[in-house]
Amino acid sequence: MPAPDPAPRLLRAFLAVAEELHFTRAAARLFVAQQALSRDIRRLERELGAELFVRTTRQVSLTPDGERLLPYARRVLDAHDALAAAFSGGPARPLLVDLNSDGTTAARVLERARELAPECELMARFESGLTWAASEILAGRLDVSFGRAAGLAPGVRAGLSVQPVRYEPMALMLQASHPLAGREAIALSELSGTTVYAGAGNERTREWTDLAAQLFAAWGIELAPPVPLAVGVAEFQRVMAKAGHPVLAVVDFPPLPGAVLRPLVDPIPLSPLTLVWRKGLHHPGVDALRTASAQLGTAKGWLVPPPGAWLPEGDLSLMRNRS
């Protein structure tokens, strides 16, 4: 019996459904009718002699054979895309790069990458949270993001490549009227019993809230309850002022009117920033971003943690061993 040799179209149909777990959304993503998508999935199942999805009226899930096929499908399609790009003769498509917010370490990396690869169109996006961005990367709606990769679910991490960028020192953003606003730096011990906001309730930033929870537990700091999700600087400033809690941030966080940023010390808590992209993605823009990260990291000492700094062991391990 000959080995199965499914067409790339069928594998793309499978990958879209596997990542969306919803036939209607997968069909919209591929710009095809849902009936055509269902036919392609059935054809692929016949060619492989395996059922790939469990379908009910309420949900779609992968079968064990579907789970087994998923990494192979990704590798085949990545190779197919790389082959098409190598012989296309035209410029690479625009690369969508999520920076979280402007003025940060990620923005500095992007600026340097644009200098290294002026022929590439590196398009910035300003969303929030690697938890959200990672799902968008795996779904093909985003190419690159930055954040704390160690905070992602193992199944999500398995589909991503990671390059360490910087051990970012953490800071506290305070209203200018706050009693601690006049300090040059704030010791963690001074925050014992204080309530600090760190994104609780925001599903897009679970990796950041998890890091904060570990830090707060070690120093007796209270995690502030969820607040309404604010979009834009003005709304974020308004909601934070209304809640009245200091906000956990990093030292490069963009300044806000009426607020001050103070580094945290004794010890210095670190936020491990990584560059993240889908495994197998070949694009000159990714190469430029990786080179820019390495160049800036070396020049500015971004990958040398301060002595005695605080960082969970799992994060430290990932930063030392890229994947």
Side-chain angles (χ1 to χ4, degrees):
M1 180 178 179
D5 185 21
R9 187 191 83 251
L10 302 183
L11 292 177
R12 290 191 195 282
F14 164 75
L15 187 60
V17 178
E19 291 177 344
E20 299 288 347
L21 294 180
H22 194 284
F23 273 78
T24 302
R25 289 198 299 266
R29 170 174 153 183
L30 296 172
F31 301 100
V32 300
Q34 186 173 335
Q35 295 86 345
L37 176 64
S38 296
R39 284 196 300 271
D40 280 347
I41 294 299
R42 288 195 296 270
R43 178 178 171 183
L44 179 62
E45 288 178 326
R46 287 196 302 271
E47 290 188 10
L48 297 177
E51 185 177 6
L52 303 175
F53 297 100
V54 177
R55 309 163 179 86
T56 71
T57 56
R58 308 186 89 176
Q59 66 178 12
V60 176
S61 59
L62 284 163
T63 65
D65 280 330
E67 294 279 5
R68 187 159 61 97
L69 174 62
L70 188 56
Y72 293 104
R74 284 183 173 138
R75 289 201 291 270
V76 169
L77 292 174
D78 285 339
H80 188 269
D81 291 344
L83 175 63
F87 289 89
S88 66
R93 65 169 177 81
L95 194 76
L96 301 182
V97 185
D98 175 43
L99 303 180
N100 193 315
S101 60
D102 204 358
T104 59
T105 297
R108 294 160 71 180
V109 172
L110 177 61
E111 181 181 9
R112 178 61 181 141
R114 285 170 170 165
E115 294 172 353
L116 293 172
E119 75 284 358
C120 290
E121 188 60 80
L122 304 180
M123 299 295 297
R125 295 290 184 268
F126 301 97
E127 296 292 345
S128 176
L130 186 59
T131 298
W132 173 85
S135 65
E136 293 293 287
I137 289 172
L138 293 179
R141 293 186 288 264
L142 186 68
D143 295 309
V144 178
S145 189
F146 295 81
R148 180 190 170 228
L152 299 174
V156 174
R157 276 273 293 109
L160 301 172
S161 291
V162 174
Q163 178 170 319
V165 175
R166 182 183 182 185
Y167 291 102
E168 288 192 293
M170 291 189 189
L172 204 63
M173 186 167 62
L174 306 147
Q175 294 297 309
S177 58
H178 194 280
L180 295 174
R183 304 286 185 87
E184 291 187 4
I186 299 171
L188 286 171
S189 59
E190 295 181 90
L191 297 177
S192 179
T194 302
T195 299
V196 176
Y197 179 73
N202 185 350
E203 290 301 306
R204 291 180 166 216
T205 60
R206 286 200 305 266
E207 78 292 340
W208 173 253
T209 304
D210 171 70
L211 180 65
Q214 294 182 60
L215 174 67
F216 291 2
W219 295 95
I221 304 168
E222 299 295 326
L223 182 66
V227 298
L229 181 61
V231 178
V233 172
E235 276 298 276
F236 179 78
Q237 182 185 6
R238 183 187 66 81
V239 170
M240 290 300 100
K242 186 175 181 180
H245 300 304
V247 178
L248 186 69
V250 293
V251 293
D252 275 358
F253 195 84
L256 293 179
V260 298
L261 199 64
R262 298 292 180 256
L264 294 170
V265 295
D266 299 330
I268 297 172
L270 301 176
S271 171
L273 185 71
T274 58
L275 175 69
V276 176
W277 66 99
R278 184 165 54 87
K279 277 188 177 177
L281 173 62
H282 300 283
H283 191 288
V286 174
D287 297 337
L289 287 164
R290 296 185 67 185
T291 301
S293 296
Q295 288 182 354
L296 289 171
T298 298
K300 299 182 179 298
W302 282 352
L303 289 174
V304 181
W310 178 91
L311 187 68
E313 182 56 40
D315 291 87
L316 187 60
S317 176
L318 185 146
M319 292 291 282
R320 289 174 173 170
N321 302 287
R322 71 181 63 181
S323 61

